[in-house]
């Protein structure tokens, strides 16, 4: 039987850079997209033989803004994927889209090429907040894009929202969540704003009025509680889904399953090794110019240690609401979970961690401080 493999493709272009974004994407470089798609197809064709014993069960086009790619280039990429990979008939094929870049023609093109999940980057329904974030769209454009996607037959849509924004309070967040829930997306991802270095927000961080830790905590608990009431299951720290709509591709990251990435900054985990391509579009394009050449893979140090590392397993599994199952841990590592990580027991009494059906998992309040708790229980400390 063929093994399953996830496929990630990075599209490093955006109309403009958002003020908080530290993903690898270039603003105002759309004229490079055709050349980039050509290079991606070359890269995929040159490497495809490595994956012929695998079946692709998830494809994720992320970025950047994949919905900037026009229909002609998208067709070219999709044809290459079909020619080069054995794609499962039940593949989850996700594409990240930004409101203001979607058209009926593009949506029909995605549909025709097998895309069956859209992830729309909304962030907020408050136009002032969107403008502060540097987003190119307003709420009205999101509504049009979402409704158009439904009309074109997309029955699995994720909406990204953010909390902890400058000048945001619980009332603003509640309005955003209420507005989003009216669209009934199958999946909602809710991320807390982090001020990352090398972003415009970082430069003006002293002037931003951000919610304090208590306010952020209230926002997070509000999101978890309200989404549950609205019929969403929280299956990961930041991810909520309606029945059977968990993101297959993202689950691969947390379950340490294999995936391969193409494009600058794309990461892979294949045959026990983790590697990534450099964040550099020009180098990526140049590396594919010579016949038979490939972009350099940067292998992460200590990879062989990481694969067997119980720490990595625990860190990734604890992101999920299913947590770490004692029996699965023992079967995999031949050791008792609580013998290895006895300090987790001290977080049971204050309800940061629960023990249910043989698994230890974070509660909502535990998720909010999960980095701290993990720093207390993992061995590398
Ligand atoms: S649209 Fe997304 S990837 Fe592009 S700059 Fe904004 S946050 Fe970054």
């Amino acid at each position: 039987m063929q093994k399953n493999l996830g496929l990630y493709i990075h599209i490093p272009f955006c109309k403009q850079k958002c003020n908080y974004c530290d993903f690898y994407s270039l603003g105002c470089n759309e004229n490079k997209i055709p050349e980039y798609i050509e290079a991606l197809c070359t890269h995929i064709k040159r490497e495809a033989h490595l994956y012929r014993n695998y079946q692709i069960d998830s494809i994720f086009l992320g970025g950047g803004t994949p919905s900037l790619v026009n229909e002609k280039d998208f067709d070219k990429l999709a044809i290459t994927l079909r020619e080069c990979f054995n794609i499962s008939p039940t593949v989850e094929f996700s594409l990240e889209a930004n409101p203001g870049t979607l058209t009926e023609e593009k949506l029909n093109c995605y549909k025709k090429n097998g895309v069956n999940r859209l992830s729309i980057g909304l962030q907020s329904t408050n136009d002032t907040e969107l403008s502060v974030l540097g987003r190119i769209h307003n709420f009205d454009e999101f509504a049009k894009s979402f409704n158009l996607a439904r009309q074109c037959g997309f029955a699995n849509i994720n909406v990204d929202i953010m909390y902890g924004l400058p000048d945001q309070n619980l009332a603003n967040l509640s309005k955003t969540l209420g507005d989003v829930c009216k669209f009934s997306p199958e999946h909602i991802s809710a991320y807390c704003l982090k001020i990352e270095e090398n972003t415009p927000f970082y430069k003006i961080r002293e002037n931003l009025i951000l919610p304090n830790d208590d306010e952020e905590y209230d926002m997070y608990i509000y999101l978890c509680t309200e989404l549950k009431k609205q019929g969403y299951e929280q299956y990961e720290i930041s991810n909520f889904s309606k029945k059977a709509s968990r993101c297959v591709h993202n689950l691969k990251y947390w379950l340490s399953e294999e995936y391969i990435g193409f494009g600058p900054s794309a990461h892979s985990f294949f045959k026990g090794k983790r590697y990534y391509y450099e964040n550099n579009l020009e180098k990526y394009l140049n590396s594919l110019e010579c016949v038979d050449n490939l972009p350099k893979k940067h292998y992460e140090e200590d990879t062989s240690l990481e694969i067997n590392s119980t720490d990595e397993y625990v860190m990734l599994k604890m992101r999920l609401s299913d947590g770490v199952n004692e029996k699965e841990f023992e079967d995999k590592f031949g050791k008792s979970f609580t013998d290895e990580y006895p300090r987790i027991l001290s977080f049971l009494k204050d309800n940061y961690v629960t023990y249910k059906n043989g698994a230890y998992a974070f509660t909502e309040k535990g998720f909010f401080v999960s980095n701290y708790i993990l720093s207390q229980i993992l061995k590398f400390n």
Side-chain angles (χ1 to χ4, degrees):
M1 204 172 101
Q2 285 189 311
K3 282 177 79 179
N4 285 330
L5 184 64
L7 171 62
Y8 175 80
I9 294 177
H10 192 69
I11 307 292
F13 304 96
C14 288
K15 273 208 181 289
Q16 67 179 34
K17 279 299 278 186
C18 299
N19 291 328
Y20 59 93
C21 178
D22 74 336
F23 296 127
Y24 181 62
S25 73
L26 308 163
C28 311
N29 252 305
E30 287 170 60
N31 57 337
K32 285 260 181 199
I33 295 179
E35 185 187 354
Y36 178 66
I37 296 292
E38 191 65 48
L40 259 182
C41 292
T42 304
H43 185 185
I44 291 167
K45 284 177 192 161
R46 286 184 193 165
E47 262 206 26
H49 64 279
L50 298 175
Y51 315 112
R52 62 172 167 249
N53 295 328
Y54 287 79
Q55 171 173 258
I56 303 294
D57 65 339
S58 75
I59 303 174
F60 197 102
L61 262 64
T65 306
S67 52
L68 277 181
V69 178
N70 67 28
E71 295 89 297
K72 184 164 161 259
D73 289 323
F74 194 87
D75 276 339
K76 189 184 283 179
L77 178 59
I79 289 167
T80 302
L81 297 183
R82 286 196 292 273
E83 281 173 0
C84 293
F85 295 111
N86 172 19
I87 299 177
S88 162
T90 58
V91 68
E92 175 195 84
F93 191 163
S94 301
L95 177 137
E96 285 186 336
N98 281 323
T101 62
L102 280 174
T103 61
E104 192 172 346
E105 291 72 25
K106 280 184 185 170
L107 285 161
N108 286 331
C109 169
Y110 304 153
K111 195 89 194 138
K112 175 189 82 181
N113 282 301
V115 176
N116 52 24
R117 183 175 185 273
L118 290 179
S119 178
I120 305 184
L122 165 65
Q123 317 314 347
S124 165
T125 63
N126 179 315
D127 287 345
T128 308
E129 287 175 359
L130 288 172
S131 154
V132 169
L133 290 172
R135 302 292 303 194
I136 57 166
H137 65 271
N138 57 30
F139 177 43
D140 193 42
E141 282 171 306
F142 163 80
K144 285 189 183 127
S145 296
F146 191 99
N147 291 333
L148 194 58
R150 285 290 198 226
Q151 278 164 31
C152 291
F154 285 92
N156 190 1
I157 303 182
N158 168 61
V159 175
D160 281 343
I161 59 173
M162 292 176 84
Y163 65 98
L165 305 180
D167 299 310
Q168 190 183 41
N169 56 32
L170 205 48
N172 305 134
L173 178 65
S174 157
K175 172 83 173 62
T176 287
L177 195 61
D179 291 338
V180 170
C181 286
K182 284 188 196 138
F183 289 86
S184 284
E186 285 64 33
H187 192 286
I188 294 178
S189 300
Y191 299 105
C192 185
L193 174 71
K194 296 271 173 278
I195 307 295
E196 307 284 359
E197 280 182 48
N198 301 319
T199 62
F201 267 180
Y202 190 78
K203 291 193 190 111
I204 58 157
R205 61 193 181 285
E206 308 294 342
N207 303 328
L208 295 173
I209 300 172
L210 295 166
N212 62 31
D213 287 351
D214 289 345
E215 289 165 332
E216 259 183 22
Y217 173 79
D218 289 345
M219 288 180 182
Y220 182 69
I221 298 297
Y222 170 79
L223 282 167
C224 297
T225 312
E226 196 54 34
L227 282 166
K228 195 187 225 168
K229 278 193 216 154
Q230 298 286 336
Y232 291 87
E233 173 212 25
Q234 179 173 19
Y235 69 99
E236 196 261 351
I237 299 179
S238 311
N239 285 286
F240 305 80
S241 73
K242 290 209 169 153
K243 222 172 166 213
S245 301
R246 291 180 175 197
C247 177
V248 173
H249 188 82
N250 285 342
L251 277 168
K252 284 184 184 288
Y253 301 143
W254 304 314
L255 295 173
S256 293
E257 292 175 1
E258 289 182 300
Y259 54 90
I260 46 167
F262 290 90
S265 86
H267 282 66
S268 303
F269 177 47
F270 186 62
K271 291 198 171 167
K273 295 203 157 91
R274 292 189 185 277
Y275 63 84
Y276 61 91
Y277 297 111
E278 203 177 325
N279 292 351
N280 189 319
L281 177 67
E282 288 309 321
K283 268 196 192 172
Y284 183 81
L285 295 173
N286 292 342
S287 67
L288 288 154
E289 268 174 12
C290 298
V291 179
D292 293 338
N293 207 9
L294 285 169
K296 183 171 163 40
K297 289 176 179 164
H298 295 267
Y299 285 89
E300 290 181 7
E301 286 172 16
D302 301 331
T303 298
S304 54
L305 291 175
E306 276 183 38
I307 311 153
N308 295 320
S309 149
T310 51
D311 269 3
E312 188 191 52
Y313 177 89
V314 172
M315 204 158 59
L316 291 171
K317 284 283 229 170
M318 288 300 285
R319 291 185 63 113
L320 297 169
S321 55
D322 294 341
V324 174
N325 181 289
E326 279 187 307
K327 178 157 184 335
E328 274 176 27
F329 184 92
E330 196 153 344
D331 289 349
K332 191 171 173 70
F333 299 107
K335 302 169 185 172
S336 146
F337 176 56
T338 45
D339 283 355
E340 285 294 295
Y341 296 98
R343 276 178 284 178
I344 196 159
L345 299 173
S346 65
F347 292 97
L348 281 171
K349 72 174 172 6
D350 290 323
N351 198 32
Y352 287 100
V353 170
T354 54
Y355 179 71
K356 240 195 301 189
N357 304 325
Y360 290 88
F362 283 127
T363 59
E364 288 166 5
K365 77 173 191 177
F367 269 140
F368 186 75
V369 287
S370 56
N371 284 344
Y372 168 75
I373 298 178
L374 287 171
S375 75
Q376 297 301 301
I377 66 172
L378 294 180
K379 289 165 182 289
F380 65 76
N381 298 294

